Amino acid sequence: MNVLIFSYDWAPSVGGVQSVMASLAEGIASRSTDGQSLIGLVTQTPADRGYDQRFGFAVFRRPGWLRLAKLIQRCDVLHLAGPALKPLIFAKLFGKKVVIQHHGYQAICPDGLLLDSRTQASCENSFQRGDVLNCIGCRAQNVGWLRGVLSVALGYPRAWISRHASANVSVSNHVKSRLKLPASSTIYNGTVEPRMATPKPASHS
């Protein structure tokens, strides 16, 4: 089984999502003999030449549409750090299994935060309730009216494909309960076990 990971924002950017996706890629790459292999990790984050030599897996940075389509066509499973629309569309076209790891609410909210940017209050699910004008007004506060309209429009195919993903993985039960997506489960983000220093032998002076 060939796995392809897509993380829109990744190293050298620093954050929880970046660390979790790196650990996941390293884990799959290290178990390639178990019939599961990692094609690589795709990201839109640029990096200096030679930066990716530190990783034990292939990294594809900022691929064009054709290159991304070919990578997804090669995989059996596409693992996404969030419901990124472009790879979701390609995966759907090629009939690939898709696992979406949800760290936020992009699948049900164009802003991804479920907060009303005008009042900073918790959003009452305007997008899901079909309150388009309220949703556009919220997005326009941050990105302007034109981009606000576009982001809300793109939210509909993103939400539809997320509901038809092979699996939706939430990082907490709270996120899962708010997303209310089919084929959902909660898998908490792991942490790298710290390496314990080797104790020094006792002195017999």
Side-chain angles (χ1 to χ4, degrees):
M1 180 174 65
N2 295 321
V3 180
L4 182 68
I5 297 174
F6 185 97
S7 183
Y8 188 92
D9 189 22
W10 194 63
S13 296
V14 178
V17 175
Q18 292 85 346
S19 298
V20 169
M21 290 301 106
S23 295
L24 178 64
E26 290 169 356
I28 296 175
S30 67
R31 301 189 180 201
S32 57
T33 56
D34 297 338
Q36 181 172 269
S37 62
L38 179 70
I39 293 176
L41 187 148
V42 180
T43 182
Q44 292 298 318
T45 304
D48 295 334
R49 183 174 296 180
Y51 179 87
D52 296 330
Q53 293 179 358
R54 68 189 68 192
F55 303 112
F57 51 86
V59 179
F60 305 96
R61 294 189 180 271
R62 308 183 76 176
W65 284 74
L66 182 59
R67 178 62 167 154
L68 179 61
K70 288 181 177 179
L71 287 169
I72 294 175
Q73 198 169 28
R74 285 175 51 198
C75 78
D76 299 305
V77 176
L78 176 64
H79 186 105
L80 293 165
L85 188 56
K86 189 172 14 175
L88 277 174
I89 291 174
F90 281 134
K92 190 66 178 177
L93 287 174
F94 297 139
K96 302 298 180 178
K97 291 184 178 180
V98 177
V99 177
I100 306 175
Q101 189 165 340
H102 299 274
H103 299 87
Y105 306 103
Q106 288 83 358
I108 61 170
C109 171
D111 185 66
L113 298 176
L114 277 181
L115 289 174
D116 190 322
S117 59
R118 297 160 297 187
T119 63
Q120 298 304 307
S122 178
C123 177
E124 299 300 326
N125 297 324
S126 296
F127 183 77
Q128 291 178 292
R129 290 189 291 103
D131 191 351
V132 178
L133 292 180
N134 188 53
C135 203
I136 291 175
C138 173
R139 290 295 290 135
Q141 179 73 19
N142 291 331
V143 298
W145 285 100
L146 183 59
R147 291 181 62 188
V149 170
L150 180 61
S151 67
V152 172
L154 293 176
Y156 288 99
R158 181 181 293 110
W160 185 86
I161 296 177
S162 295
R163 287 195 296 270
H164 292 82
S166 304
N168 286 288
V169 177
S170 299
V171 296
S172 71
N173 288 328
H174 179 76
V175 172
K176 177 185 173 183
S177 67
R178 297 207 71 180
L179 290 174
K180 293 183 174 64
L181 291 171
S184 290
S185 60
T186 299
I187 301 177
Y188 296 103
N189 288 336
T191 57
V192 178
E193 184 176 350
R195 295 181 179 178
M196 302 298 291
T198 303
K200 294 181 180 180
S203 174
H204 298 285
S205 57

